Amino acid sequence: MKFSRMVIASVLALAACGTADTPTTPAPGGSGALTPIKLQLQWFYQAQFGGYLAAVDQGFYREQGLDVTLLEGGVDIVPQTVLAQGKADYAVAWVPKALASREQGAGITDVGQIFARSGTYQVAWADSGIRTAADLKGKKVGNWGFGNEFELFAGITKAGLNPGSDVTLVQQQFDMQALLKKEIDAAQAMSYNEYAQLLEAKNPATGKLYTPADFSIIDWKTEGTSMLQDAVWANTAKLSDPAYQQQTVKFLTATIKGWAFCRDNAEKCRDLVVAKGSKLGKSHQLWQMNEVNKLIWPSPGGIGLVDETAWKQTVDISMTTKNQTGDTVLTKAPEGLAYTNDYIKQAIEQAKAAGVDVNGSAFQPATVTLTEGGA
């Protein structure tokens, strides 16, 4: 598959290292000792991972008999590959990227769909006339690549455009400078990160920060081409081990508590992220925490439950949307145990029994004031 460099890197890494060879993990707490666990994050420390940080800080993993170490991500780190290689016990990864790696041989299973909604935007200047995917025709369209562009291609295709000829695709950096300098007409942005970076930038014409009125947003949820993002992935082969099954339920139970804590204590989780050395500051991380909470809550079925309709949409788009060279994310429907709700359902019940609100029906987002540079 030639769909992205990320996928190729993942395949090469798997070919070099073979399949998972993690030693059998003992039953958590069975001997009274904490079971060491490694969770591979998919990016640098930021509020996107606030729930996991909170679960460590608040002792939620420890009370489950787990000693969890968070592995920071980065540009060259592919979480699902790290997991498949046995270098982590669980990993956080977007669903289409992980499914592409599964098709190439990674033995991984989605056991907890933490983000129920996509946070991906395509952002343009308000005066550009770009309001929908169809308006991207003839424009310079930025994207990050590495498998982050699937929703964009799906939106372009649904609008009746050819990603290979009707738009000029430009690989942008992981910031918004290309849009701010008007080198591209539309830029990829996450609602919780890069979009905030625009609003943290100073408008040289006014000396004040830009506002939402300065930009237009294409939200792939509105366009009908959104795909599932942050999920907890486990090692498929090890899920046949009762000890790993038990450990997975415990890990997910504590993770649920962590995210519920960040829903109810956004500023405290902001502080945890900043204390971990986040690359952007306090106002940015509070914005991010608030926006991430929007992607999780409310969760009518309980946080982490894989919604079959959303899963099917993600898979269908992955199989049918072509990129600029005609490749698709997936060549066929995922085989084997691509996802399971077995463990998250048990975790939800255990969290509920402990008094945790796993639905967040009353959640209301806050209004966050950003400062220049996100300080």
Side-chain angles (χ1 to χ4, degrees):
M1 177 180 288
K2 298 179 290 183
F3 204 89
S4 76
R5 286 187 291 162
M6 181 280 297
V7 172
I8 293 173
S10 176
V11 174
L12 291 175
L14 285 170
C17 300
T19 54
D21 57 357
T22 301
T24 300
T25 304
S31 64
L34 297 176
T35 300
I37 298 292
K38 293 181 181 177
L39 172 66
Q40 177 64 60
L41 306 177
Q42 61 177 345
W43 198 238
F44 304 109
Y45 288 126
Q46 56 182 6
Q48 179 184 0
F49 313 113
Y52 310 105
L53 288 165
V56 172
D57 180 77
Q58 295 296 306
F60 299 144
Y61 289 126
R62 183 170 292 273
E63 70 185 21
Q64 295 290 331
L66 306 177
D67 180 14
V68 173
T69 299
L70 303 180
L71 306 178
E72 193 172 25
V75 176
D76 297 325
I77 296 173
V78 183
Q80 61 270 27
T81 299
V82 175
L83 171 63
Q85 291 174 343
K87 296 178 181 176
D89 300 283
Y90 303 97
V92 178
W94 285 13
V95 171
K97 298 184 196 181
L99 290 181
S101 292
R102 281 189 87 257
E103 189 169 280
Q104 299 300 311
I108 57 175
T109 297
D110 181 347
V111 293
Q113 188 59 51
I114 301 301
F115 285 14
R117 306 164 189 91
S118 165
T120 307
Y121 292 159
Q122 203 72 21
V123 184
W125 290 97
D127 60 2
S128 68
I130 299 174
R131 298 285 186 275
T132 68
D135 298 328
L136 295 173
K137 185 174 182 178
K139 304 295 185 182
K140 286 185 177 179
V141 180
N143 68 93
W144 297 310
F146 297 100
N148 297 297
E149 70 280 21
F150 301 157
E151 291 168 299
L152 167 64
F153 287 145
I156 291 174
T157 302
K158 187 178 180 182
L161 306 181
N162 184 333
S165 58
D166 287 328
V167 300
T168 300
L169 296 168
V170 178
Q171 185 160 7
Q172 68 184 73
Q173 299 297 312
F174 287 93
D175 59 37
M176 301 304 279
Q177 289 304 307
L179 182 68
L180 289 170
K181 294 177 181 177
K182 300 192 175 182
E183 296 170 351
I184 56 177
D185 298 304
Q188 189 169 12
M190 301 308 296
S191 61
Y192 50 78
N193 195 359
E194 290 78 12
Y195 179 60
Q197 292 179 36
L198 290 174
L199 305 179
E200 294 160 0
K202 185 178 288 185
N203 182 344
T206 65
K208 299 179 180 179
L209 298 185
Y210 288 110
T211 72
D214 291 309
F215 303 100
S216 62
I217 293 171
I218 301 173
D219 186 339
W220 300 121
K221 295 189 291 296
T222 304
E223 296 279 317
T225 60
S226 63
M227 304 172 82
L228 290 171
Q229 300 186 339
D230 290 35
V232 174
W233 294 81
N235 183 301
T236 306
K238 290 176 62 178
L239 283 173
S240 62
D241 179 352
Y244 188 67
Q245 294 173 4
Q246 181 187 13
Q247 173 185 287
T248 299
V249 173
K250 289 178 177 291
F251 178 78
L252 291 173
T253 301
T255 296
I256 289 171
K257 291 183 177 180
W259 282 112
F261 181 86
C262 285
R263 175 195 64 210
D264 300 334
N265 301 274
E267 292 189 358
K268 289 183 179 178
C269 283
R270 179 271 317 270
D271 292 341
L272 289 176
V273 173
V274 173
K276 272 300 238 186
S278 61
K279 294 184 179 298
L280 291 166
K282 293 184 68 173
S283 73
H284 182 93
Q285 296 304 337
L286 186 58
W287 171 284
Q288 184 163 141
M289 194 70 259
N290 191 50
E291 293 298 317
V292 163
N293 274 329
K294 293 180 186 178
L295 303 182
I296 301 173
W297 315 103
S299 183
I303 176 177
L305 203 68
V306 179
D307 177 78
E308 189 172 341
T309 300
W311 179 271
K312 185 177 185 305
Q313 176 169 309
T314 299
V315 170
D316 288 347
I317 290 173
S318 298
M319 291 195 299
T320 57
T321 299
K322 296 181 178 180
N323 71 354
Q324 70 271 36
T325 61
D327 294 313
T328 57
V329 180
L330 300 176
T331 62
K332 56 187 177 182
E335 297 176 340
L337 194 64
Y339 83 87
T340 175
N341 279 323
D342 289 353
Y343 309 105
I344 193 69
K345 284 182 177 178
Q346 295 179 58
I348 287 171
E349 290 305 313
Q350 292 191 20
K352 286 170 63 177
V356 177
D357 175 5
V358 300
N359 303 108
S361 302
F363 167 73
Q364 291 293 326
T367 299
V368 177
T369 300
L370 291 166
T371 59
E372 185 175 0

